[in-house]
């Protein structure tokens, strides 16, 4: 028997309460069939520019709807997919879905809107990665400039086999690279000029600590940090996105600090593709999309 709880939380019973390992093994067995059984789907969340208030990019976020477990979030299953050798195929599927959606937005008249797709470092280690991206762009009939690839440095990518070539090749195609969850991984301000990235995304933990219940030194520190990120990215000509903006207070603070791009529940939750086009015609007003 299986019991659900919450969005990302899956509580499983099989006579006894399963431990972490058993739960992971069960999810892994089920995940092996998720793609062929049509249980995966993609939602999209807008990234808006402060200057016009318009969505300029949509981030594709994968979800897994299991008949018994309910909706399982990527925070739970991406690492399982990585460990089980499923991430290459899953990642390729997400990219195809995202590009097909972006092609429809373009046809609907939103030619400047990009799509951002998260990629696992393991995908970058595949020698065929860049070729796959080029093939899928061509198949979707999209220019490389319509695509952004988001990478989180959960591991230090320096010197990893094939990573540099993958990154350089997709860059040369004209795809933009985005450094996700900045401030939490291995990438640092001092390395930004070495990396061929066009976009930096401030992790939502910093945005959360701008306001909310944190002590004053922490708040001051986070403000200083974001302000430093604004200066460095502007100097290097990079786009800076603040993730996880939930309140108008955070938005105002971010704008005051010089942030140019924002993403978060305040503007829109991740939505099914059918709900994207109406959002593209709107713009942020008084902090809300
Ligand atoms: P991420 O790339 O940093 O994506 C942002 C996450 O923050 C998403 O969680 C999004 O739903 C959530 N979020 C957006 N706005 C807010 C907000 O205002 N408040 C809060 N609390 N959260 C917000 P989600 O969809 O659960 O995805 C989690 C992570 O899973 C992503 O973090 C990304 O690292 C990974 N992921 C998602 N889709 C894929 C994929 O197709 N491939 C790979 N490799 N990883 C993926
Ligand atoms: Mg991301
Ligand atoms: Mg992030
Ligand atoms: Mg993340």
């Amino acid at each position: 028997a299986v019991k659900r709880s919450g969005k990302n939380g899956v509580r499983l019973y099989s006579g006894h309460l399963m431990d972490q390992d058993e739960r992971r093994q069960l999810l892994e067995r089920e995940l092996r069939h998720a793609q062929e059984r049509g249980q995966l789907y993609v939602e999209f969340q807008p990234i808006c520019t402060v200057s016009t208030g318009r969505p300029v990019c949509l981030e594709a976020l994968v979800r897994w709807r299991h008949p018994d477990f309910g909706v399982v979030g990527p925070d739970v299953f991406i690492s399982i997919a990585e460990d089980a050798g499923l991430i290459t195929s899953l990642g390729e599927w997400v990219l195809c879905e995202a590009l097909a959606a972006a092609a429809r937005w373009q046809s609907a008249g939103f030619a400047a809107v990009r799509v951002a797709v998260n990629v696992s470092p393991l995908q970058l280690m595949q020698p065929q990665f860049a070729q796959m991206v080029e093939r899928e762009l061509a198949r979707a009939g999209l220019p490389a400039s319509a695509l952004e690839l988001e990478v989180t440095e959960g591991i230090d990518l320096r010197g990893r086999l094939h990573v540099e070539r993958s990154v350089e090749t997709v860059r040369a195609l004209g795809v933009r690279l985005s450094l996700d969850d900045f401030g939490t991984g291995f990438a640092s301000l001092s390395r930004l000029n070495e990396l061929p990235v066009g976009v930096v995304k401030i992790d939502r933990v910093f945005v959360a600590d701008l306001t909310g219940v944190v002590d004053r030194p922490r708040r001051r520190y986070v403000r200083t940090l974001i302000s430093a990120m604004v200066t460095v990215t502007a100097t290097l000509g990079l786009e800076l996105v603040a993730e996880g903006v939930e309140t108008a207070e955070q938005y105002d603070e971010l704008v005051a600090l010089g942030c140019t791009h924002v993403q978060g529940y305040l503007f829109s939750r991740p939505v099914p593709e059918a709900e994207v086009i109406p959002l593209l015609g709107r713009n942020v007003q008084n902090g809300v999309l």
Side-chain angles (χ1 to χ4, degrees):
V2 167
K3 212 172 171 180
R4 310 173 182 189
S5 78
K7 177 168 168 269
N8 291 346
V10 187
R11 273 167 65 200
L12 306 171
Y13 297 87
S14 58
H16 67 294
L17 203 57
M18 296 179 118
D19 68 27
Q20 271 288 93
D21 282 355
E22 289 175 302
R23 182 174 170 274
R24 241 182 123 81
Q25 280 163 22
L26 173 59
L27 287 172
E28 180 186 320
R29 275 199 306 278
E30 291 296 302
L31 190 56
R32 290 193 180 280
H33 307 286
Q35 210 176 312
E36 74 204 35
R37 290 177 183 165
Q39 295 169 355
L40 299 178
Y41 63 101
V42 178
E43 288 188 331
F44 298 91
Q45 187 182 33
I47 298 168
C48 300
T49 169
V50 168
S51 66
T52 63
R54 287 281 171 135
V56 289
C57 183
L58 285 111
E59 179 173 7
L61 296 157
V62 67
R63 279 90 181 80
W64 174 22
R65 189 182 286 106
H66 186 277
D68 298 326
F69 312 155
V71 175
V72 186
D75 277 339
V76 172
F77 70 82
I78 290 293
S79 76
I80 298 177
E82 288 174 337
D83 292 346
L86 300 168
I87 195 67
T88 305
S89 140
L90 189 154
E92 192 169 325
W93 182 83
V94 174
L95 180 73
C96 292
E97 291 289 303
L99 291 175
R104 289 186 282 270
W105 307 332
Q106 301 238 329
S107 304
F110 298 99
V113 173
R114 300 186 302 270
V115 71
V117 178
N118 292 282
V119 295
S120 161
L122 293 181
Q123 290 177 267
L124 300 177
M125 292 183 214
Q126 300 284 323
Q128 307 298 320
F129 178 76
Q131 219 175 302
M132 182 277 289
V133 172
E134 187 172 20
R135 186 189 66 221
E136 294 307 326
L137 278 166
R139 201 216 300 266
L142 284 174
S145 57
L147 177 65
E148 234 169 74
L149 294 175
E150 298 194 2
V151 188
T152 303
E153 270 203 297
I155 53 168
D156 191 346
L157 286 175
R158 277 178 292 187
R160 295 271 173 168
L161 197 62
H162 300 304
V163 168
E164 204 167 316
R165 206 183 49 188
S166 289
V167 163
E168 296 296 342
T169 313
V170 293
R171 264 303 308 141
L173 290 174
V175 172
R176 298 220 298 179
L177 289 173
S178 174
L179 211 45
D180 207 349
D181 303 340
F182 189 75
T184 63
F186 280 86
S188 63
L189 280 181
S190 68
R191 274 188 65 204
L192 278 185
N193 68 330
E194 305 167 10
L195 297 163
V197 294
V199 185
V200 174
K201 300 185 80 174
I202 305 175
D203 193 81
R204 69 166 185 263
V205 298
F206 304 114
V207 173
D209 286 354
L210 268 180
T211 58
V213 277
V214 287
D215 55 26
R216 210 164 328 158
R218 170 67 183 170
R219 196 176 292 192
R220 199 163 18 180
Y221 171 73
V222 166
R223 218 181 283 146
T224 307
L225 190 72
I226 292 177
S227 168
M229 289 182 189
V230 167
T231 306
V232 173
T233 53
T235 305
L236 296 173
L238 310 179
E239 186 171 288
L240 184 65
V241 180
E243 297 191 290
V245 185
E246 294 184 352
T247 68
E249 199 187 349
Q250 288 166 350
Y251 175 78
D252 291 342
E253 185 81 30
L254 288 162
V255 173
L257 289 170
C259 278
T260 55
H261 292 75
V262 286
Q263 175 181 14
Y265 294 166
L266 178 64
F267 316 105
S268 170
R269 297 224 162 217
V271 295
E273 200 214 321
E275 291 172 39
V276 169
I277 288 183
L279 289 177
L280 297 181
R282 296 169 57 176
N283 60 304
V284 176
Q285 270 167 355
N286 304 320
V288 181
L289 184 66

